[in-house]
Amino acid sequence: MRFTEGMWRLREGIRIDWMSNVERLSVDDDSVNLLLNKLQRHRGDTLNSATISAHVTSPLEGIIGVKLVHWAGQVGKGPHYKLNSSTSHTKIQHSEKTLKCGSGYLNLAIQTAPNEMDFVFSGTEGKLTGHSWRSIGYVGDQTTDKSRWEDGLFFERQGYMLAALDIGVGEKLYGLGERFGPFVKNGQTVDIWNEDGGTSSELAYKNIPFYISSKGYGVFVNNPGKVSLELQSERTTRVNISVPGEELEYFIVYGQTPKEVLTRYTALTGRPSLVPSWSYNLWLTTSFTTNYDEQTVTGFLDGFRDRDIPLGVFHFDCFWMKSYQWCDFDFDAEMFPDAGGYLRRLKERDLQISVWINPYVAQASPLFKEGKENGYFIKRTDGSVWQWDHWQAGMAIVDFTNPEACAWYCKQLQRLMDMGVDSFKTDFAERIPFKNIKYHDGSDPVRMHNYYALLYNKIVYEAMTSRLGQSQSLLFARSTAPGGQKYPVHWGGDCESTFEAMAESLRGGLSLMLSGYIFWASDIGGFEGTPPPALYKRWVQFGLLSSHSRLHGSSSFRVPWIYGEDCSDVLRDCVKRKILLTPYLLQEALVGYRQGTPLMRPMFLEFPGDLNTYTLDTQYMFGSNLLVAPVFSEEGTVTFYVPHTPEDNQGKWISWFDHGKSYESGRWYTEKHDFDTLPILVRPGSITPINPRLKVPQGDALDGLELLVNGILTAETVVDVVDPSKTHDTLKVIKIGPLGDDIVADYQNVKVVWVGR
């Protein structure tokens, strides 16, 4: 939120009490408490003005938190994000004019001399960020309904906590959840507030108050409510962070590489969970408003089988339930008279089954009366059920702060799992009211607006893990909040059927990958509209080089032959390529589980030493070894950059499709591709495990395993062959190298394929 008009003037009706002095401080074993106040000229300045208490802690090594509190008498209703912490890694030193707090290689120096208050966070390369002149303050806004002139002496203003963090020359900022606008966030205004806005606006389904800087640090704002950030937009040298209320807490997360920042951030908020291997296969849905029944669905499945297109998951979208009854968790008997039998028949085709759900219960649902009578829904302050007619007529919202409501909701999910359902698409959870309502546990409705999505996904995910086990559980979720990486997978929401929407989807996915998430998907072909054949084929190429791949639309089907049999050919090739990459994907996902490194990586995340990578948003690394540049044009022209790598002396990048074609590091290339190829480049000095014999991702990982080696190996390289049935475990660990120019045809009973020699 903007409070100023230029450097010198405040917006009309705004007052800010700026902190300029450390009045006093105390040091505990592992934390610091400071009392901050305004410029002090004489003792009279201590009267009639605000103070802010600052509490400095380090929850984990390499992370320092600062909690700023104006008034401490507020009721902390929650909810609160659950953060991990440890002890005995903080070093505190205090001299006459400076206080220093260190955690690993991260340090905070606070100037405590009179009227010289200054915070400086630094790492091994010097200053990262900090609070300079007029950067910590309490804001009073008298333009809101809260302010009443007739209250006289007791006149009140809406209060905000404001903390401004310095930005250096050339510094670039990223992340803040799945954002579809410019990939580099400098110059933007971002409100952390979940909304159902599609993919072509500044609104976002997945708002994460965490940004990562090109200077080697991240900032996490620990507040589930509405967090407003002015990223070099209000002040050109700062990120202004503001929250309504009386306190603001943020954490500086340090890393000597961007990957290390994500490792520490996910250690704080929760490591990502893994997903079953079958989920990497192709998903097909009924689409949203299309007409379908068992005969239609069976016809689609036969079409895939007859065209030899692998298919792993079939998803039933909203209208598997009767209209006006979402959610009643019952198959529409008119469309599916033998739902249980039909699901068994789908299982006989070796398909996993997914169904769409949301946390709403329409008034026409048989469950509405039961939920109302038992108090399972969010209520208005007068005790009535909160309802509206948007989406579903008279719908209520399940109150997941009520343990009995959670058990009741999970009981409905258990019925479906008993029928053979393997996964749930947890849609919506962004349209959560925050005015004139109350929750069962007394949670603050404003803080619950974003947090609700996290709670919703957690309840459903844990219902699945209790029945299926963690190794076989996953969601397909649209909304989320910090910590939601523990409940995968997430997809990009409602995009249009255009090349521009395909590009914005990639930007959104890459931004989410810089926010602690490792899995992501988009609606292949676009959700709104019907894609022309060229777009369909290009999105198929991109979608099958995403961590998860789902054909989905709104008012039109996404089976390929509708768009031409050549589309079937493209889809077949792309699916089979992804399946043979399964050993590689499982290995890279295991890295993400352990370290928080995503499968789809912005280029600078993998190559922070190449400054040319920091603005790239139309290409990405698929794992550590494969560069992917999707084609965003009908004619097939694509321009991409090949980065410098630490392995430049070990060979050249080579084409996945033509091993005789090489690329120089540090150069731009423009190519034209037909629909059977796109730029996929193999990194020099890399080993990529593949298995061309696999028919499904969950097949035998060792039978047919090959190691694709590009260039010279100058150091030992470890390959983890992950167990497809238990993706947390490895079947075999292969150590190769250094091997120089020696060609090995067989290594530990594994075929080695040398390329780029």
Side-chain angles (χ1 to χ4, degrees), residues 105-106 131 200 282 314 343 351 359 416 447 528 542 584 619 622 706-707:
Y105 292 108
L106 176 63
H131 296 298
S200 57
L282 179 64
F314 188 80
L343 295 191
L351 289 170
L416 292 167
R447 294 172 68 91
E528 296 287 354
F542 163 51
Y584 172 66
Q619 63 184 81
F622 196 34
E706 298 180 5
L707 302 180

Side-chain angles (χ1 to χ4, degrees), residues 129-184:
T129 186
H131 296 298
S132 49
W133 181 68
R134 286 193 170 182
S135 58
I136 297 176
Y138 182 72
V139 180
D141 182 357
Q142 68 184 45
T143 65
T144 70
D145 295 338
K146 186 175 184 179
S147 300
R148 295 161 47 90
W149 289 108
E150 57 268 30
D151 290 341
L153 177 65
F154 299 100
F155 177 86
E156 291 192 49
R157 297 172 175 85
Q158 172 62 56
Y160 298 86
M161 292 297 297
L162 172 63
L165 290 167
D166 298 334
I167 303 176
V169 176
E171 184 175 352
K172 295 178 176 59
L173 309 173
Y174 310 87
L176 296 172
E178 182 191 48
R179 316 209 78 84
F180 303 102
F183 179 54
V184 179

Side-chain angles (χ1 to χ4, degrees), residues 7 15 47 98 110-112 119 133 211 304 319 360 365 402 411 432 502 511 513 527 534 549 575 598 626 630 696 732:
M7 289 183 64
R15 184 184 76 183
L47 304 176
T98 306
I110 303 175
Q111 296 299 318
T112 59
F119 287 53
W133 181 68
Y211 66 84
F304 274 80
F319 281 96
Y360 313 140
S365 168
N402 182 344
K411 181 180 178 182
I432 304 302
M502 179 178 155
S511 291
M513 297 299 97
F527 178 74
S549 310
V575 177
L626 301 180
V696 291
K732 186 171 188 162

